[in-house]
Amino acid sequence: MRRITVVLGLVLALLVAFGVVGIAIAAVPTDTTALRNAVSVEGIMAHERAFQKIANSNHGTRVSGTPGYDASAAYVEGKLRAAGFKVERQAFDYPFFQELTDTTFSRTAPSDRTYVKGTDFNLMGYSGSGNLVDAQVVPTNDIVIPPGETANSSTSGCQVEDFKDVRLEPEPQVALIQRGGCLFRPKAENAQAMGYDAAIIFNEGQVVPDRTGLIGGGLSGLQDDGEPWIPVLMTTFAVGEELYKLNKATPGSVQVSISADTIAETRHTSNVIADYPGGRTDRTLIVGGHLDSVPVGPGINDNGSGVAGILEIALQMKKLDIKPTNHVRFAFWGAEESSPPQWGSQAYLEELSAAERKDIALYLNFDMIGSPNFVRFVYDGDGPTLPLGSPAPNGSGTIEKVFLDYFASQNLATEPTPFDGRSDYQPFFDAGIPAGGAISGDAGIKTKEQAAIYGGTAGEPYDSCYHQACDTIKNLNQTSIEQLADGAAHATLTFAQTTSAVSGTD
């Protein structure tokens, strides 16, 4: 028997040496039945009702930097402390932004046209306030229309020299800028530096990839000196092309009116970090989701559902007195909805030393598990990430496989979804830490094929109340909550008990 063991060990060593066994190894199977049975929809919905009550008492929102968020954090902290967790409130500052009233945008010359918010334009995050009437539109020098064949063919607004200097102009001026070549922030910086009262950034125009329609976008916080920005709008390519061509036909003739009323300032908020007793701290599993809502709504699906599920998993693990092999930390992040970046999870990682970051074996993220028109999406750990197309950190594929194997064992279909950088896994990726999770879908549209598999309505969003005031306790699918919470509980306990590293090394 010893001889066989030695031979097998030698073979394995050779395989590793030649790179055959260098990739992720599947986690050791764990019986998660007891925990999954204990994590009930009723328990999760009790937390959701608490979040709704908090929002109702705080102007309908739980956004970071407001009493609604502070009350949500206090609720989570109280539940965990009462259960025997070691809990830390990690404070940090972040740039707060809120659009107080709907922004309006219209063309007043050479003819009238009112543009529709959410269809023709959006106000970019962290834009400043302003009320401009009959302001002249001034295109930058290097707008490319028709657009170039590839994305980023335009570098409009990326250099100060692209702009006409209007600092001495007595009448209001609006810079017209094409997307491409650099981030939105330097385009806005250059426009403001050259004296413009507002800026319009329009999509670049390529059909493939799709750079024609309306997108969101933000300026990644306040200006470096802490001062507010000028109003900055994002529009479709069609709107930008229209304004550009009208000006080209009759230079100086195009005028617009813009009204924006916002708050953009530094505010104080916190993460809630809870440590489960025991386990190897050099192989720490972090299970997290963002606790904050958007300013305009209570965020009961996004992301009350994710954090309610995580909270219930934590509480039931403690009730069952589970003894983990690896240390487990539950994290409830603040200020995710003000991304990019994800301020809370980024603040957490920035405070860790290199050795402490190395001790994090993996991160599980749960951001929306109760979408009313849901699909069981699993993050694609072995596929390309978006928007850069780079691979996820080694081990992310192993995390994905644990979810896929579990749902397959329950005869539940799943679909892969790419990491698009829009949730709290991104700072962990940036630190080289593998991550994974499941999500029930946000503003994307359900296909006919998905409706045939998962039910629901084709042609409608997975969550028609995504980032809206109607994201209330009524905006939840309890079947989705039950299935995805069970998947979350299974993955949490599997990685809490595994003796194998997800990256394939020990």
Side-chain angles (χ1 to χ4, degrees):
M1 188 69 177
R2 175 175 169 78
R3 180 181 177 188
I4 293 172
T5 302
V6 171
V7 171
L8 287 174
L10 178 60
V11 170
L12 180 60
L14 290 171
L15 289 172
V16 171
F18 285 98
V20 178
V21 187
I23 58 174
I25 299 172
V28 175
T30 301
D31 185 357
T32 63
T33 306
L35 179 60
R36 287 186 284 115
N37 288 341
V39 176
S40 66
V41 173
E42 292 77 14
I44 293 171
M45 290 301 296
H47 305 313
E48 289 279 50
R49 286 190 290 272
F51 293 142
Q52 181 69 68
K53 185 177 180 180
I54 289 169
N56 292 346
S57 300
N58 290 279
H59 308 289
T61 186
R62 299 185 304 104
V63 63
S64 270
T66 69
Y69 178 83
D70 293 341
S72 299
Y75 172 82
V76 171
E77 180 181 10
K79 289 289 184 181
L80 291 165
R81 284 194 186 279
F85 282 80
K86 179 183 176 183
V87 185
E88 175 192 358
R89 287 284 288 275
Q90 181 190 32
F92 63 94
D93 291 333
Y94 85 104
F96 176 85
F97 173 75
Q98 184 175 0
E99 188 177 359
L100 296 175
T101 59
D102 274 348
T103 301
T104 62
F105 172 41
S106 62
R107 189 183 72 232
T108 58
S111 58
D112 293 344
R113 180 185 174 187
T114 299
Y115 298 107
V116 179
K117 187 172 184 288
T119 301
D120 299 315
F121 78 95
N122 282 323
L123 182 70
M124 299 196 79
Y126 298 101
S127 294
S129 298
N131 188 20
L132 283 67
V133 178
D134 298 333
Q136 183 182 12
V137 174
V138 183
T140 57
N141 294 328
D142 55 353
I143 289 174
V144 181
I145 292 181
E149 293 184 1
T150 60
N152 293 308
S153 297
S154 169
T155 59
S156 169
C158 294
Q159 297 82 34
V160 171
E161 293 76 20
D162 297 338
F163 296 85
K164 176 184 175 182
D165 191 339
V166 298
R167 282 173 287 190
L168 299 180
E169 295 289 341
E171 300 300 324
Q173 309 284 312
V174 177
L176 181 64
I177 310 167
Q178 189 174 19
R179 179 188 183 188
C182 61
L183 299 174
F184 297 132
R185 186 182 179 99
K187 294 175 186 280
E189 285 175 337
N190 292 333
Q192 189 150 340
M194 296 302 284
Y196 288 86
D197 300 280
I200 299 167
I201 302 176
F202 65 96
N203 215 343
E204 193 174 5
Q206 291 82 9
V207 176
V208 180
D210 183 9
R211 292 169 80 91
T212 60
L214 183 65
I215 63 170
L219 303 175
S220 300
L222 303 172
Q223 294 191 77
D224 292 339
D225 59 6
E227 291 299 310
W229 295 93
I230 57 177
V232 183
L233 305 184
M234 183 75 204
T235 78
T236 63
F237 173 73
V239 169
E241 182 183 39
E242 172 190 280
L243 296 174
Y244 177 79
K245 287 184 174 180
L246 286 171
N247 184 80
K248 189 173 182 180
T250 309
S253 66
V254 182
Q255 295 182 341
V256 296
S257 291
I258 297 172
S259 177
D261 185 15
T262 68
I263 295 175
E265 61 189 15
T266 298
R267 288 199 180 179
H268 189 71
T269 191
S270 63
N271 298 319
V272 180
I273 310 295
D275 284 281
Y276 191 92
R280 288 179 54 173
T281 56
D282 64 334
R283 291 270 292 274
T284 295
L285 159 66
I286 299 182
V287 184
H290 72 89
L291 181 58
D292 61 319
S293 73
V294 293
V296 299
I300 301 304
N301 184 35
D302 183 18
N303 181 37
S305 62
V307 293
I310 294 166
L311 177 58
E312 191 63 10
I313 291 168
L315 297 177
Q316 294 306 323
M317 281 184 65
K318 197 68 174 64
K319 277 188 178 182
L320 293 171
D321 195 27
I322 290 171
K323 307 296 185 186
T325 300
N326 305 310
H327 188 64
V328 184
R329 181 170 296 141
F330 293 92
F332 303 82
W333 310 116
E336 187 270 357
E337 292 291 10
S338 299
S339 62
Q342 292 75 24
W343 297 99
S345 49
Q346 178 174 275
Y348 169 77
L349 285 164
E350 285 178 348
E351 287 195 9
L352 300 181
S353 66
E356 289 170 329
R357 286 193 295 271
K358 188 177 180 181
D359 285 343
I360 301 172
L362 71 150
Y363 173 65
L364 299 180
N365 190 71
F366 299 100
D367 188 349
M368 302 174 66
I369 64 170
S371 302
N373 199 25
F374 74 98
V375 167
R376 287 181 292 273
F377 289 112
V378 174
Y379 285 115
D380 188 6
D382 54 7
T385 63
L386 298 177
L388 300 178
S390 56
N394 186 28
S396 301
T398 301
I399 300 171
E400 178 189 10
K401 189 175 187 305
V402 166
F403 282 99
L404 296 181
D405 288 349
Y406 167 72
F407 286 119
S409 75
Q410 304 298 306
N411 296 315
L412 296 174
T414 60
E415 290 196 22
T417 189
F419 291 101
D420 58 8
R422 294 169 55 221
S423 196
D424 287 293
Y425 53 76
Q426 189 58 49
F428 289 88
F429 273 14
D430 294 341
I433 298 166
I439 182 173
S440 54
D442 48 30
I445 303 300
K446 177 171 273 189
T447 66
K448 291 180 180 179
E449 295 78 12
Q450 290 170 339
I453 296 170
Y454 304 96
T457 307
E460 295 293 327
Y462 306 118
D463 182 357
S464 59
C465 287
Y466 177 66
H467 283 188
Q468 297 181 49
C470 59
D471 185 11
T472 67
I473 197 76
K474 298 178 181 179
N475 186 49
L476 295 171
N477 187 308
Q478 293 191 27
T479 299
S480 177
I481 289 175
E482 180 177 23
Q483 293 173 352
L484 293 186
D486 280 353
H490 173 80
T492 298
L493 189 54
T494 296
F495 289 113
Q497 302 294 36
T498 186
T499 57
S500 299
V502 298
S503 59
T505 59
D506 201 81

